[in-house]
Amino acid sequence: MTGFVALYIFLIAAIAGYEIVARVPVILHTPLMSGSNFVHGIVLVGAMLALAEARGPLEVFVGFVGVVMATGNAVGGYVSTERMLEMFHSKKEKA
């Protein structure tokens, strides 16, 4: 796969993702975030596999940055989903 084809696929995926997310009703944003957290978990596994196959120092650095960014994205997604779900609980349940 050439770089031009990879860029083309990335642009098509970005446009399709934007169009899909923009049409989701507000009430379905929390389940959509849960699904995206699942996808970020897969990205994290892929980054760890890429780091395990890295040969040179540059590849190790890029793999490490990928693992750190994927971890932060997944953890941040779960934290924000948790906060959103707390908004649906009534205050009587906490007492």
Coordinates of all heavy atoms in Angstrom, one line a residue:
M1 N 0.8 -1.2 0.0 CA 0.0 0.0 0.0 C 0.9 1.2 0.0 O 1.8 1.4 0.8 CB -0.9 0.0 1.2 CG -1.8 1.2 1.3 SD -2.9 1.3 2.8 CE -3.5 -0.3 3.0
T2 N 0.7 2.1 -0.9 CA 1.4 3.3 -1.0 C 0.9 4.3 0.0 O -0.2 4.2 0.5 CB 1.4 3.9 -2.4 OG1 0.1 4.3 -2.7 CG2 1.9 2.9 -3.4
G3 N 1.7 5.4 0.2 CA 1.3 6.4 1.1 C 0.1 7.2 0.6 O -0.8 7.6 1.4
F4 N 0.0 7.3 -0.7 CA -1.2 8.0 -1.3 C -2.5 7.2 -1.0 O -3.5 7.8 -0.7 CB -1.0 8.3 -2.8 CG -2.1 9.0 -3.4 CD1 -2.2 10.4 -3.2 CD2 -3.0 8.4 -4.2 CE1 -3.2 11.1 -3.8 CE2 -4.0 9.1 -4.8 CZ -4.2 10.5 -4.6
V5 N -2.4 5.9 -1.2 CA -3.6 5.1 -0.9 C -4.0 5.1 0.5 O -5.2 5.2 0.9 CB -3.4 3.7 -1.4 CG1 -4.5 2.7 -1.0 CG2 -3.2 3.6 -2.9
A6 N -3.0 5.1 1.4 CA -3.3 5.2 2.9 C -3.9 6.5 3.2 O -4.9 6.6 4.0 CB -2.0 5.0 3.7
L7 N -3.4 7.6 2.6 CA -4.0 8.9 2.9 C -5.4 9.0 2.4 O -6.3 9.5 3.0 CB -3.1 10.0 2.2 CG -3.7 11.4 2.4 CD1 -3.6 11.8 3.9 CD2 -2.8 12.4 1.6
Y8 N -5.7 8.4 1.2 CA -7.0 8.4 0.6 C -8.0 7.6 1.5 O -9.1 8.1 1.8 CB -7.0 7.7 -0.8 CG -8.3 7.6 -1.5 CD1 -8.9 8.8 -2.0 CD2 -8.9 6.4 -1.6 CE1 -10.1 8.7 -2.6 CE2 -10.1 6.3 -2.2 CZ -10.7 7.4 -2.8 OH -11.9 7.4 -3.4
I9 N -7.6 6.4 2.0 CA -8.4 5.6 2.9 C -8.7 6.4 4.2 O -9.8 6.4 4.7 CB -7.7 4.3 3.2 CG1 -7.7 3.4 2.0 CG2 -8.4 3.6 4.4 CD1 -7.0 2.1 2.1
F10 N -7.6 7.1 4.8 CA -7.8 7.9 6.0 C -8.8 9.0 5.8 O -9.7 9.2 6.6 CB -6.5 8.5 6.4 CG -6.6 9.4 7.6 CD1 -6.7 8.9 8.9 CD2 -6.5 10.8 7.4 CE1 -6.9 9.7 10.0 CE2 -6.6 11.6 8.5 CZ -6.8 11.1 9.8
L11 N -8.7 9.7 4.6 CA -9.7 10.8 4.3 C -11.1 10.3 4.2 O -12.1 10.9 4.7 CB -9.2 11.6 3.1 CG -8.0 12.4 3.3 CD1 -7.6 13.0 2.0 CD2 -8.2 13.5 4.3
I12 N -11.3 9.2 3.5 CA -12.6 8.6 3.3 C -13.2 8.2 4.7 O -14.4 8.4 5.0 CB -12.6 7.4 2.4 CG1 -12.2 7.9 0.9 CG2 -13.9 6.7 2.3 CD1 -13.2 8.8 0.3
A13 N -12.4 7.6 5.5 CA -12.8 7.1 6.9 C -13.2 8.3 7.7 O -14.2 8.3 8.5 CB -11.7 6.3 7.5
A14 N -12.4 9.4 7.6 CA -12.7 10.6 8.4 C -14.0 11.2 8.0 O -14.8 11.6 8.8 CB -11.5 11.6 8.3
I15 N -14.2 11.3 6.7 CA -15.5 11.9 6.2 C -16.6 11.1 6.6 O -17.7 11.6 7.1 CB -15.4 12.2 4.7 CG1 -14.4 13.2 4.4 CG2 -16.8 12.5 4.1 CD1 -14.0 13.4 2.9
A16 N -16.5 9.7 6.4 CA -17.6 8.8 6.8 C -17.9 8.9 8.3 O -19.1 8.9 8.7 CB -17.3 7.4 6.4
G17 N -16.8 8.9 9.1 CA -17.0 9.0 10.6 C -17.7 10.3 11.0 O -18.6 10.3 11.8
Y18 N -17.3 11.4 10.4 CA -18.0 12.7 10.7 C -19.4 12.7 10.3 O -20.3 13.1 11.1 CB -17.2 13.8 10.0 CG -17.9 15.1 10.2 CD1 -17.7 15.8 11.4 CD2 -18.7 15.7 9.3 CE1 -18.3 17.0 11.6 CE2 -19.3 16.9 9.5 CZ -19.1 17.6 10.7 OH -19.7 18.8 10.9
E19 N -19.7 12.2 9.2 CA -21.1 12.1 8.7 C -22.0 11.2 9.6 O -23.1 11.5 9.9 CB -21.2 11.7 7.2 CG -20.7 12.7 6.3 CD -21.6 14.0 6.3 OE1 -22.8 13.9 6.4 OE2 -21.0 15.1 6.2
I20 N -21.4 10.1 10.0 CA -22.2 9.1 10.8 C -22.4 9.7 12.2 O -23.5 9.7 12.7 CB -21.5 7.8 10.9 CG1 -21.5 7.1 9.6 CG2 -22.0 6.9 12.0 CD1 -20.7 5.9 9.5
V21 N -21.4 10.3 12.8 CA -21.5 10.8 14.2 C -22.4 12.0 14.2 O -23.2 12.2 15.2 CB -20.1 11.1 14.8 CG1 -20.2 11.9 16.1 CG2 -19.4 9.8 15.0
A22 N -22.4 12.8 13.2 CA -23.2 14.0 13.2 C -24.7 13.7 13.1 O -25.5 14.5 13.5 CB -22.8 14.9 12.0
R23 N -25.0 12.6 12.6 CA -26.4 12.2 12.4 C -27.0 11.4 13.6 O -28.1 11.0 13.6 CB -26.6 11.4 11.1 CG -26.3 12.3 9.9 CD -26.3 11.5 8.7 NE -25.7 12.3 7.6 CZ -26.4 12.8 6.6 NH1 -27.6 12.6 6.5 NH2 -25.7 13.5 5.7
V24 N -26.2 11.1 14.6 CA -26.6 10.3 15.7 C -27.4 11.2 16.7 O -27.0 12.3 17.0 CB -25.4 9.7 16.5 CG1 -25.9 9.0 17.8 CG2 -24.7 8.7 15.6
P25 N -28.6 10.8 17.1 CA -29.4 11.6 18.1 C -28.6 11.8 19.4 O -27.8 10.9 19.8 CB -30.7 10.8 18.3 CG -30.7 9.8 17.2 CD -29.4 9.6 16.7
V26 N -28.9 12.9 20.1 CA -28.2 13.2 21.3 C -28.4 12.1 22.4 O -27.4 11.7 23.1 CB -28.7 14.5 21.9 CG1 -28.1 14.8 23.2 CG2 -28.4 15.6 20.9
I27 N -29.5 11.4 22.4 CA -29.8 10.4 23.4 C -28.9 9.2 23.2 O -28.7 8.4 24.1 CB -31.3 10.1 23.5 CG1 -31.6 9.3 24.7 CG2 -31.7 9.3 22.2 CD1 -33.0 9.3 25.1
L28 N -28.4 9.0 22.0 CA -27.6 7.8 21.8 C -26.1 8.1 21.9 O -25.2 7.3 21.5 CB -27.9 7.3 20.4 CG -29.3 6.7 20.2 CD1 -29.5 6.3 18.8 CD2 -29.5 5.6 21.1
H29 N -25.7 9.3 22.3 CA -24.2 9.6 22.4 C -23.5 8.8 23.4 O -22.4 8.4 23.2 CB -24.0 11.1 22.7 CG -24.2 11.9 21.5 ND1 -23.9 13.3 21.5 CD2 -24.6 11.7 20.2 CE1 -24.1 13.8 20.3 NE2 -24.6 12.8 19.5
T30 N -24.2 8.5 24.6 CA -23.5 7.6 25.6 C -23.2 6.2 25.1 O -22.1 5.7 25.2 CB -24.3 7.6 26.9 OG1 -24.5 8.9 27.3 CG2 -23.6 6.8 27.9
P31 N -24.2 5.5 24.5 CA -23.9 4.2 23.9 C -22.8 4.3 22.8 O -22.0 3.4 22.6 CB -25.2 3.7 23.4 CG -26.2 4.5 24.1 CD -25.6 5.8 24.4
L32 N -22.9 5.4 22.0 CA -21.9 5.6 21.0 C -20.5 5.7 21.6 O -19.5 5.1 21.1 CB -22.2 6.8 20.1 CG -21.2 7.1 19.0 CD1 -21.3 6.0 17.9 CD2 -21.6 8.4 18.3
M33 N -20.4 6.4 22.7 CA -19.1 6.6 23.4 C -18.6 5.2 23.9 O -17.4 4.9 23.9 CB -19.2 7.6 24.5 CG -19.2 9.0 24.0 SD -19.0 10.2 25.3 CE -17.4 9.9 25.8
S34 N -19.5 4.4 24.4 CA -19.1 3.1 24.9 C -18.6 2.3 23.8 O -17.6 1.6 23.9 CB -20.3 2.4 25.6 OG -20.8 3.1 26.7
G35 N -19.2 2.3 22.6 CA -18.7 1.6 21.5 C -17.3 2.1 21.0 O -16.5 1.3 20.7
S36 N -17.2 3.4 21.1 CA -15.9 4.0 20.6 C -14.8 3.6 21.7 O -13.6 3.4 21.3 CB -15.9 5.5 20.4 OG -16.2 6.1 21.6
N37 N -15.1 3.5 22.9 CA -14.2 3.0 23.9 C -13.7 1.6 23.6 O -12.5 1.3 23.8 CB -14.8 3.0 25.3 CG -14.9 4.4 25.8 OD1 -14.3 5.4 25.3 ND2 -15.8 4.6 26.8
F38 N -14.6 0.8 23.1 CA -14.3 -0.6 22.7 C -13.3 -0.5 21.6 O -12.3 -1.3 21.6 CB -15.5 -1.4 22.4 CG -15.3 -2.7 21.7 CD1 -14.8 -3.7 22.4 CD2 -15.5 -2.8 20.3 CE1 -14.6 -5.0 21.9 CE2 -15.2 -4.0 19.7 CZ -14.8 -5.1 20.5
V39 N -13.5 0.3 20.6 CA -12.6 0.4 19.5 C -11.3 0.9 19.9 O -10.2 0.5 19.4 CB -13.3 1.4 18.4 CG1 -12.3 1.7 17.3 CG2 -14.5 0.7 17.8
H40 N -11.2 1.9 20.9 CA -10.0 2.4 21.3 C -9.2 1.3 22.1 O -7.9 1.3 22.0 CB -10.2 3.6 22.3 CG -10.6 4.8 21.5 ND1 -9.9 5.5 20.6 CD2 -11.8 5.4 21.5 CE1 -10.6 6.5 20.1 NE2 -11.8 6.4 20.6
G41 N -9.9 0.4 22.7 CA -9.2 -0.8 23.3 C -8.5 -1.6 22.2 O -7.4 -2.1 22.4
I42 N -9.1 -1.8 21.1 CA -8.5 -2.5 20.0 C -7.3 -1.8 19.4 O -6.3 -2.4 19.1 CB -9.6 -2.8 18.9 CG1 -10.7 -3.7 19.4 CG2 -8.9 -3.4 17.6 CD1 -11.8 -3.9 18.4
V43 N -7.4 -0.4 19.4 CA -6.3 0.4 18.9 C -5.1 0.2 19.9 O -4.0 0.1 19.5 CB -6.7 1.9 18.8 CG1 -5.5 2.8 18.6 CG2 -7.7 2.0 17.7
L44 N -5.4 0.1 21.2 CA -4.4 0.0 22.2 C -3.7 -1.4 22.0 O -2.4 -1.5 22.0 CB -5.0 0.0 23.6 CG -4.0 -0.2 24.7 CD1 -2.9 0.8 24.7 CD2 -4.7 -0.2 26.1
V45 N -4.4 -2.4 21.7 CA -3.8 -3.7 21.5 C -2.9 -3.7 20.2 O -1.8 -4.2 20.2 CB -4.9 -4.8 21.4 CG1 -4.3 -6.1 20.9 CG2 -5.6 -5.0 22.7
G46 N -3.4 -3.0 19.2 CA -2.6 -2.9 17.9 C -1.4 -2.1 18.2 O -0.3 -2.5 17.6
A47 N -1.4 -1.1 19.0 CA -0.2 -0.3 19.3 C 0.8 -1.1 20.1 O 2.0 -1.0 19.8 CB -0.6 1.0 20.1
M48 N 0.3 -1.9 21.0 CA 1.2 -2.8 21.8 C 1.8 -3.8 20.9 O 3.0 -4.1 21.0 CB 0.4 -3.5 22.9 CG 0.1 -2.5 24.0 SD -0.6 -3.2 25.5 CE -2.0 -4.1 25.0
L49 N 1.1 -4.4 19.9 CA 1.7 -5.3 19.0 C 2.7 -4.7 18.1 O 3.7 -5.3 17.8 CB 0.6 -6.0 18.1 CG -0.4 -6.9 18.9 CD1 -1.5 -7.4 18.0 CD2 0.4 -8.1 19.4
A50 N 2.4 -3.4 17.6 CA 3.4 -2.7 16.8 C 4.6 -2.4 17.6 O 5.7 -2.5 17.1 CB 2.7 -1.4 16.3
L51 N 4.5 -2.1 18.9 CA 5.6 -1.8 19.8 C 6.5 -3.1 20.0 O 7.7 -3.1 20.0 CB 5.2 -1.3 21.1 CG 6.3 -0.9 22.1 CD1 7.2 0.1 21.5 CD2 5.7 -0.4 23.4
A52 N 5.8 -4.2 20.1 CA 6.5 -5.5 20.3 C 7.3 -5.9 19.0 O 8.4 -6.5 19.1 CB 5.5 -6.6 20.6
E53 N 6.9 -5.4 17.8 CA 7.6 -5.8 16.6 C 8.6 -4.7 16.2 O 9.3 -4.8 15.2 CB 6.6 -6.0 15.5 CG 5.7 -7.1 15.7 CD 6.4 -8.5 15.6 OE1 7.4 -8.6 14.8 OE2 6.0 -9.4 16.4
A54 N 8.7 -3.6 17.0 CA 9.6 -2.5 16.6 C 11.1 -3.0 16.7 O 11.5 -3.8 17.6 CB 9.4 -1.4 17.6
R55 N 11.9 -2.5 15.7 CA 13.3 -2.9 15.6 C 14.3 -1.8 16.1 O 15.1 -2.0 16.9 CB 13.6 -3.3 14.2 CG 12.8 -4.5 13.7 CD 13.3 -5.8 14.3 NE 12.6 -6.9 13.7 CZ 11.8 -7.7 14.4 NH1 11.7 -7.6 15.7 NH2 11.2 -8.7 13.8
G56 N 14.1 -0.6 15.5 CA 15.0 0.4 15.8 C 14.5 1.4 16.9 O 13.4 1.3 17.3
P57 N 15.4 2.3 17.3 CA 14.9 3.3 18.3 C 13.8 4.2 17.9 O 12.9 4.5 18.7 CB 16.2 4.1 18.6 CG 17.3 3.5 17.8 CD 16.8 2.5 16.9
L58 N 13.8 4.5 16.6 CA 12.7 5.4 16.2 C 11.3 4.6 16.2 O 10.3 5.1 16.6 CB 13.0 5.9 14.7 CG 11.9 6.8 14.1 CD1 11.7 8.1 15.0 CD2 12.2 7.1 12.7
E59 N 11.4 3.4 15.8 CA 10.2 2.5 15.8 C 9.7 2.3 17.2 O 8.5 2.3 17.5 CB 10.4 1.2 15.1 CG 10.6 1.3 13.6 CD 10.9 0.0 12.9 OE1 10.9 -1.0 13.6 OE2 11.1 0.0 11.7
V60 N 10.6 2.1 18.1 CA 10.2 1.9 19.5 C 9.6 3.2 20.1 O 8.6 3.1 20.8 CB 11.5 1.5 20.4 CG1 11.1 1.5 21.8 CG2 11.9 0.1 19.9
F61 N 10.2 4.3 19.7 CA 9.6 5.6 20.2 C 8.2 5.8 19.6 O 7.3 6.2 20.4 CB 10.6 6.7 19.8 CG 10.0 8.1 20.1 CD1 10.0 8.5 21.5 CD2 9.5 8.9 19.2 CE1 9.5 9.8 21.8 CE2 9.0 10.2 19.5 CZ 9.0 10.6 20.8
V62 N 8.1 5.6 18.4 CA 6.7 5.8 17.8 C 5.7 4.8 18.4 O 4.6 5.2 18.7 CB 6.8 5.7 16.2 CG1 5.4 5.6 15.6 CG2 7.6 6.8 15.6
G63 N 6.1 3.6 18.6 CA 5.3 2.6 19.2 C 4.9 2.9 20.6 O 3.7 2.8 21.0
F64 N 5.9 3.4 21.4 CA 5.6 3.9 22.7 C 4.6 5.0 22.8 O 3.7 5.1 23.6 CB 6.9 4.2 23.4 CG 6.7 4.7 24.8 CD1 6.5 3.8 25.8 CD2 6.8 6.0 25.2 CE1 6.3 4.2 27.1 CE2 6.6 6.5 26.5 CZ 6.4 5.5 27.5
V65 N 4.8 6.0 21.9 CA 3.9 7.1 21.8 C 2.5 6.7 21.5 O 1.5 7.1 22.0 CB 4.4 8.2 20.8 CG1 3.4 9.3 20.6 CG2 5.7 8.9 21.4
G66 N 2.4 5.7 20.5 CA 1.1 5.2 20.2 C 0.4 4.5 21.3 O -0.8 4.6 21.5
V67 N 1.2 3.7 22.1 CA 0.6 3.0 23.3 C 0.1 4.0 24.3 O -1.0 3.9 24.9 CB 1.6 2.0 23.9 CG1 1.1 1.5 25.2 CG2 1.9 0.9 22.9
V68 N 1.0 5.1 24.6 CA 0.6 6.1 25.5 C -0.7 6.8 25.1 O -1.6 7.0 25.9 CB 1.8 7.0 25.8 CG1 1.3 8.3 26.6 CG2 2.9 6.3 26.5
M69 N -0.7 7.2 23.8 CA -1.9 8.0 23.3 C -3.1 7.1 23.3 O -4.2 7.6 23.7 CB -1.6 8.5 21.9 CG -0.5 9.6 22.0 SD -0.1 10.3 20.4 CE -1.6 11.3 20.1
A70 N -3.0 5.8 22.9 CA -4.2 4.9 22.9 C -4.7 4.7 24.3 O -5.9 4.6 24.6 CB -3.8 3.6 22.2
T71 N -3.7 4.5 25.3 CA -4.1 4.3 26.7 C -4.9 5.5 27.2 O -5.9 5.4 27.8 CB -2.9 4.0 27.5 OG1 -2.2 2.9 27.0 CG2 -3.3 3.8 29.0
G72 N -4.3 6.7 27.0 CA -5.0 7.9 27.4 C -6.4 8.1 26.8 O -7.3 8.5 27.5
N73 N -6.5 7.8 25.5 CA -7.8 7.9 24.9 C -8.8 6.9 25.4 O -9.9 7.3 25.7 CB -7.6 7.7 23.4 CG -8.6 8.4 22.6 OD1 -9.5 9.0 23.1 ND2 -8.6 8.2 21.3
A74 N -8.4 5.7 25.6 CA -9.3 4.7 26.2 C -9.7 5.0 27.6 O -10.9 5.0 28.0 CB -8.7 3.3 26.1
V75 N -8.8 5.4 28.4 CA -9.1 5.7 29.8 C -9.9 7.0 29.9 O -10.9 7.0 30.7 CB -7.8 5.9 30.7 CG1 -8.0 6.4 32.0 CG2 -7.0 4.6 30.8
G76 N -9.6 8.0 29.1 CA -10.4 9.2 29.1 C -11.8 8.9 28.6 O -12.8 9.5 29.2
G77 N -12.0 8.1 27.7 CA -13.3 7.7 27.2 C -14.1 7.0 28.3 O -15.3 7.3 28.5
Y78 N -13.5 6.1 29.1 CA -14.2 5.4 30.1 C -14.6 6.4 31.2 O -15.6 6.4 31.8 CB -13.4 4.3 30.7 CG -13.5 3.1 29.8 CD1 -12.4 2.6 29.0 CD2 -14.7 2.4 29.6 CE1 -12.5 1.5 28.2 CE2 -14.8 1.3 28.8 CZ -13.7 0.9 28.1 OH -13.8 -0.2 27.2
V79 N -13.7 7.3 31.6 CA -13.9 8.3 32.6 C -15.1 9.2 32.2 O -16.0 9.5 33.0 CB -12.7 9.1 33.0 CG1 -13.0 10.3 33.9 CG2 -11.6 8.2 33.6
S80 N -15.1 9.7 31.0 CA -16.1 10.6 30.6 C -17.5 9.9 30.5 O -18.5 10.4 30.8 CB -15.8 11.3 29.3 OG -15.6 10.3 28.3
T81 N -17.4 8.6 30.1 CA -18.7 7.8 30.0 C -19.2 7.6 31.4 O -20.4 7.7 31.7 CB -18.4 6.5 29.4 OG1 -18.0 6.7 28.0 CG2 -19.7 5.6 29.3
E82 N -18.3 7.4 32.4 CA -18.8 7.2 33.8 C -19.4 8.5 34.3 O -20.5 8.4 34.9 CB -17.6 6.8 34.6 CG -17.8 6.7 36.1 CD -18.3 5.3 36.5 OE1 -18.0 4.4 35.8 OE2 -18.8 5.2 37.6
R83 N -18.8 9.6 34.0 CA -19.4 10.9 34.5 C -20.7 11.1 33.8 O -21.7 11.6 34.4 CB -18.4 12.0 34.2 CG -17.2 11.9 35.0 CD -16.3 13.1 34.8 NE -17.0 14.3 35.4 CZ -16.6 15.5 35.3 NH1 -15.5 15.8 34.6 NH2 -17.3 16.5 35.8
M84 N -20.9 10.8 32.5 CA -22.2 11.0 31.8 C -23.2 10.1 32.4 O -24.4 10.5 32.6 CB -22.0 10.7 30.4 CG -21.2 11.8 29.6 SD -21.0 11.4 27.9 CE -22.6 11.5 27.3
L85 N -22.9 8.8 32.8 CA -23.8 7.9 33.3 C -24.3 8.3 34.7 O -25.4 8.1 35.1 CB -23.3 6.5 33.4 CG -23.1 5.8 32.0 CD1 -22.5 4.5 32.1 CD2 -24.5 5.7 31.3
E86 N -23.4 9.0 35.5 CA -23.7 9.5 36.8 C -24.8 10.6 36.7 O -25.5 10.8 37.7 CB -22.5 10.0 37.5 CG -21.6 9.0 38.1 CD -20.4 9.5 38.8 OE1 -20.3 10.7 39.0 OE2 -19.5 8.7 39.1
M87 N -24.8 11.3 35.6 CA -25.8 12.3 35.4 C -27.2 11.8 35.4 O -28.2 12.5 35.6 CB -25.5 13.2 34.2 CG -24.3 13.9 34.3 SD -23.8 15.0 32.9 CE -24.9 14.7 31.6
F88 N -27.4 10.5 35.0 CA -28.7 9.9 34.9 C -29.2 9.3 36.2 O -30.3 8.9 36.4 CB -28.7 8.8 33.9 CG -28.5 9.3 32.5 CD1 -27.3 9.1 31.8 CD2 -29.5 10.0 31.8 CE1 -27.1 9.6 30.5 CE2 -29.3 10.5 30.6 CZ -28.1 10.3 29.9
H89 N -28.3 9.2 37.2 CA -28.7 8.7 38.5 C -29.4 9.8 39.3 O -29.0 10.9 39.3 CB -27.5 8.2 39.3 CG -26.9 6.9 38.7 ND1 -25.9 6.3 39.3 CD2 -27.2 6.2 37.6 CE1 -25.5 5.2 38.6 NE2 -26.3 5.2 37.5
S90 N -30.5 9.4 40.1 CA -31.1 10.3 40.9 C -30.3 10.5 42.2 O -29.6 9.6 42.6 CB -32.5 9.9 41.3 OG -32.5 8.7 42.0
K91 N -30.5 11.6 42.9 CA -29.7 11.9 44.1 C -30.2 11.1 45.3 O -29.5 10.8 46.2 CB -29.8 13.4 44.5 CG -29.1 14.2 43.4 CD -29.1 15.7 43.8 CE -28.4 16.4 42.7 NZ -28.3 17.8 43.0
K92 N -31.4 10.5 45.2 CA -32.0 9.7 46.3 C -31.2 8.3 46.4 O -31.0 7.8 47.4 CB -33.4 9.4 46.1 CG -34.3 10.6 46.2 CD -35.7 10.2 46.0 CE -36.6 11.4 46.1 NZ -38.0 11.1 45.8
E93 N -30.7 7.8 45.2 CA -30.0 6.6 45.2 C -28.6 6.7 46.0 O -28.2 5.7 46.5 CB -29.7 6.1 43.8 CG -31.0 5.7 43.1 CD -30.7 5.3 41.7 OE1 -29.5 5.3 41.3 OE2 -31.6 5.0 40.9
K94 N -28.0 7.9 46.0 CA -26.7 8.0 46.6 C -26.8 8.1 48.2 O -25.9 7.7 48.9 CB -26.0 9.3 46.1 CG -25.6 9.2 44.7 CD -24.9 10.5 44.3 CE -24.4 10.4 42.8 NZ -23.8 11.6 42.4
A95 N -28.0 8.5 48.7 CA -28.2 8.7 50.1 C -28.4 7.4 50.8 O -28.7 6.4 50.3 CB -29.3 9.6 50.4

